[in-house]
């Protein structure tokens, strides 16, 4: 059964491009002038939005943090940064709507691990009087997913827009990206986590940063969505043999449509967040894209360039959602000795970072079982074109903004929202 949210769909791509998503990029016709102009327009609009958000962060928000011009300057700074991050999330949705229209096709687990009860399903999808959709998924969560194409993170952030947590998204990035002009600076303002890809040096930094973010989210009662890809990289001709080699080393079968997940980063992340967020959830998303044949690779059909420059997006982004309560369903180990009020900076305060070997093995087994179930879901999708089993519902949500006025948000118009927030706090 399919439930279509009744709101105008995004403008479809031109008819001459409609079915090209099912062809490998290398086999597609030569790029047209229309596509070239689309690429220029995309570059101008997207970069303008990023620049204006970053300028507002430097000029209007940073002084509040550095100078503390008002008693609640740091809180006003934090509110402004959250809204600037929300502006970026809004920009991602807008770019899909304007340059690469698509739908999110969402199904929810109703039978197996991570299932959502019928009572919860009834409250999950909401539509207001204007037809705008919201998804009542957990607002404090670690969102994990399989990784097929580089646009996965883009569509995951679009999902948080409909969850209303797009102002509070956090991701892990390579440290080398930290100082990239405009984009890197903005990501620093967003409190993203930059790692050196050396676990010996990254472990305590990751745990400390997440502990701080979790503590702040709980104390201020604000959302937190930490997006993590346990596979670490895309399924590709280069990574497929590495996954097979790892599986052989562990003496277990390799995955067919995903990569063997690595549990270390996720395990430490959950151990850092769980003591400080009382109702932390894991949102597990299995993602699939139309047009990719079995045992072929997503990047051969969808790249950021082909999606947004050439205007050949996936006609739908399929997402199957499971939700796990960390305290009840996820074996993260014994963290009872953790003091949630103390950040794990020092050796004696790092219960979260010191994981006994037996607890590592249990969590690793749980994650691998989760991925085998995900691999089976991919088989079902490849056979039927849907994650839904018989009698289950699909929720189809056009990736579009809630209103035309919201399109102004990425271009500096989130500032009045911050001012309004400040006025409310001081009773003006």
């Amino acid at each position: 059964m399919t439930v279509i949210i009744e709101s105008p769909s995004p403008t479809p791509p031109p008819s001459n491009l409609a079915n090209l998503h099912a062809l490998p990029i290398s086999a597609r016709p030569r790029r047209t002038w229309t596509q070239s102009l689309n690429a220029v327009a995309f570059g101008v609009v997207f970069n303008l939005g990023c620049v204006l958000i970053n300028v507002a962060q430097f000029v209007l928000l940073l002084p509040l943090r550095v100078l503390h011009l008002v008693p609640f300057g740091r809180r006003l700074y934090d509110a402004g940064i959250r809204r600037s991050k929300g502006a970026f999330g809004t920009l991602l949705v807008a770019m899909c709507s304007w340059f690469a229209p698509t739908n999110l096709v969402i199904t929810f687990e109703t039978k197996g691990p991570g299932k959502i009860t019928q009572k919860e399903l009834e409250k999950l999808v909401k539509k207001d009087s204007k037809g705008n959709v919201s998804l009542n998924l957990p607002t404090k969560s670690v969102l994990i997913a399989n990784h097929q194409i580089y646009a996965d993170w883009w569509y995951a952030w679009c999902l948080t827009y409909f969850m209303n947590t797009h102002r509070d998204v956090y991701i892990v990035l390579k440290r080398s990206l930290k100082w990239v002009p405009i984009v890197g600076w903005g990501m620093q303002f967003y409190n993203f986590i930059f790692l050196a890809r050396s676990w010996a040096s990254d472990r305590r930094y990751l745990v400390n940063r997440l502990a701080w973010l979790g503590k702040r989210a709980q104390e201020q009662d604000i959302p937190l969505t930490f997006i993590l890809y346990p596979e670490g990289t895309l399924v590709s001709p280069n990574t497929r043999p590495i996954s097979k080699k790892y599986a052989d080393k562990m003496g277990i079968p390799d995955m067919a449509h995903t990569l063997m997940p690595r549990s270390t980063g996720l395990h430490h992340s959950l151990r850092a967040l769980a003591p400080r967020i009382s109702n932390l959830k894991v949102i597990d998303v299995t993602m699939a894209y139309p047009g990719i044949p079995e045992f072929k690779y997503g990047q051969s059909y969808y790249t950021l360039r082909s999606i947004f420059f050439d205007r050949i997006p996936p006609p739908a982004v399929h997402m199957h959602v499971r939700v796990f309560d960390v305290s009840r369903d996820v074996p993260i180990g014994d963290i009872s000795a953790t003091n949630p009020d103390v950040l794990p900076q020092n050796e004696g305060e790092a219960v979260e970072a010191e994981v006994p070997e037996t607890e590592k093995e249990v969590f690793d087994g749980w994650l691998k079982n989760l991925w085998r179930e995900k691999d089976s879901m991919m088989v079902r999708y490849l056979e039927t074109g849907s994650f839904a089993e018989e009698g289950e519902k699909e929720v189809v949500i056009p990736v579009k903004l809630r209103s035309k006025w919201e399109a102004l948000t990425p271009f500096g118009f989130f500032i009045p929202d911050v001012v309004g927030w400040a006025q409310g706090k001081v009773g003006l």
Side-chain angles (χ1 to χ4, degrees):
M1 183 184 300
T2 299
V3 177
I4 300 179
I5 300 303
E6 296 176 358
S7 60
S9 297
T11 303
S15 58
N16 61 320
L17 304 179
N19 297 314
L20 291 183
H21 69 277
L23 281 178
I25 293 171
S26 60
R28 291 175 188 172
R30 187 174 180 178
R31 187 172 294 110
T32 66
W33 280 106
T34 302
Q35 289 175 305
S36 298
L37 291 173
N38 185 82
V40 172
F42 175 90
V44 170
V45 175
F46 182 71
N47 286 302
L48 178 63
C50 290
V51 168
L52 290 177
I53 291 171
N54 198 223
V55 166
Q57 290 170 329
F58 271 111
V59 175
L60 300 176
L61 300 177
L62 188 58
L64 294 172
R65 178 175 182 176
V66 175
L67 301 177
H68 293 278
L69 296 178
V70 290
F72 60 98
R74 181 55 190 261
R75 290 189 64 193
L76 182 57
Y77 166 82
D78 287 344
I81 291 301
R82 287 185 64 225
R83 281 157 175 77
S84 73
K85 188 188 292 187
F88 182 73
T90 301
L91 179 63
L92 298 181
V93 175
M95 300 312 286
C96 285
S97 181
W98 297 336
F99 295 96
T102 189
N103 299 311
L104 302 184
V105 179
I106 304 174
T107 54
F108 301 98
E109 183 65 39
T110 58
K111 299 175 182 177
K115 70 179 180 181
I116 298 167
T117 66
Q118 186 60 42
K119 186 176 181 181
E120 291 169 332
L121 279 173
E122 291 171 0
K123 300 177 180 179
L124 199 56
V125 182
K126 296 294 182 181
K127 185 175 63 171
D128 66 17
S129 58
K130 297 180 180 179
N132 295 318
V133 180
S134 61
L135 298 173
N136 292 330
L137 286 166
T139 58
K140 294 182 176 67
S141 68
V142 176
L143 191 156
I144 59 175
N146 57 318
H147 203 3
Q148 292 191 77
I149 64 175
Y150 284 116
D152 285 338
W153 69 269
W154 192 300
Y155 293 124
W157 204 323
C158 289
L159 174 64
T160 69
Y161 173 83
F162 298 103
M163 294 167 53
N164 294 310
T165 66
H166 59 298
R167 294 176 176 174
D168 301 279
V169 169
Y170 300 93
I171 58 176
V172 172
L173 297 158
K174 293 189 295 184
R175 189 174 294 175
S176 59
L177 298 174
K178 191 173 185 178
W179 300 108
V180 174
I182 308 299
V183 176
W185 302 337
M187 292 189 294
Q188 289 189 59
F189 279 113
Y190 294 157
N191 284 312
F192 288 171
I193 299 172
F194 297 90
L195 300 182
R197 298 298 176 93
S198 169
W199 186 240
S201 61
D202 288 338
R203 180 183 56 165
R204 291 190 185 281
Y205 177 73
L206 173 68
V207 168
N208 178 258
R209 292 299 297 164
L210 285 174
W212 178 78
L213 290 170
K215 186 171 182 290
R216 187 183 69 163
Q218 186 73 12
E219 291 175 349
Q220 298 183 17
D221 193 24
I222 56 177
L224 182 150
T225 301
F226 179 51
I227 300 176
L228 194 65
Y229 293 93
E231 290 164 278
T233 187
L234 303 177
V235 182
S236 72
N238 295 325
T239 59
R240 180 83 272 161
I242 296 173
S243 178
K244 178 66 166 59
K245 183 178 179 181
Y246 176 66
D248 291 343
K249 179 182 177 181
M250 300 295 293
I252 56 178
D254 190 19
M255 306 293 175
H257 306 290
T258 61
L259 300 177
M260 294 293 293
R262 306 300 176 99
S263 61
T264 303
L266 176 61
H267 196 184
H268 282 76
S269 300
L270 292 173
R271 287 172 65 90
L273 290 168
R276 296 166 178 88
I277 297 178
S278 57
N279 59 343
L280 183 68
K281 301 294 192 293
V282 168
I283 299 177
D284 173 54
V285 181
T286 304
M287 299 181 66
Y289 299 89
I292 306 173
E294 189 172 15
F295 303 121
K296 299 296 182 180
Y297 301 106
Q299 277 299 106
S300 298
Y301 294 81
Y302 299 109
T303 64
L304 288 169
R305 177 169 183 154
S306 73
I307 292 171
F308 293 103
F309 284 19
D310 298 344
R311 199 179 170 88
I312 306 177
V317 180
H318 291 260
M319 299 180 172
H320 186 72
V321 176
R322 300 188 284 182
V323 178
F324 298 88
D325 186 305
V326 173
S327 64
R328 185 188 65 227
D329 304 325
V330 185
I332 63 173
D334 183 9
I335 52 174
S336 59
T338 298
N339 182 349
D341 297 322
V342 175
L343 299 182
Q345 296 172 313
N346 303 319
E347 190 72 26
E349 300 169 350
V351 175
E352 305 93 324
E354 304 297 336
V355 188
E357 197 61 35
T358 54
E359 293 183 358
K360 289 181 183 178
E361 292 174 359
V362 171
F363 182 82
D364 187 66
W366 176 84
L367 185 62
K368 285 184 171 58
N369 286 337
L370 202 68
W371 241 249
R372 294 207 182 280
E373 292 161 1
K374 194 181 291 287
D375 219 44
S376 297
M377 293 177 199
M378 291 296 293
V379 172
R380 183 164 75 236
Y381 173 80
L382 288 165
E383 290 175 348
T384 66
S386 172
F387 285 122
E389 295 189 43
E390 186 176 353
E392 291 183 341
K393 297 179 180 179
E394 289 181 333
V395 178
V396 181
I397 307 175
V399 181
K400 58 186 288 291
L401 298 176
R402 297 183 181 94
S403 72
K404 294 180 180 179
W405 291 110
E406 198 174 7
L408 297 174
T409 303
F411 305 101
F413 288 85
F414 64 90
I415 297 300
D417 188 29
V418 180
V419 173
W421 177 90
Q423 290 176 334
K425 290 297 181 181
V426 298
L428 295 178

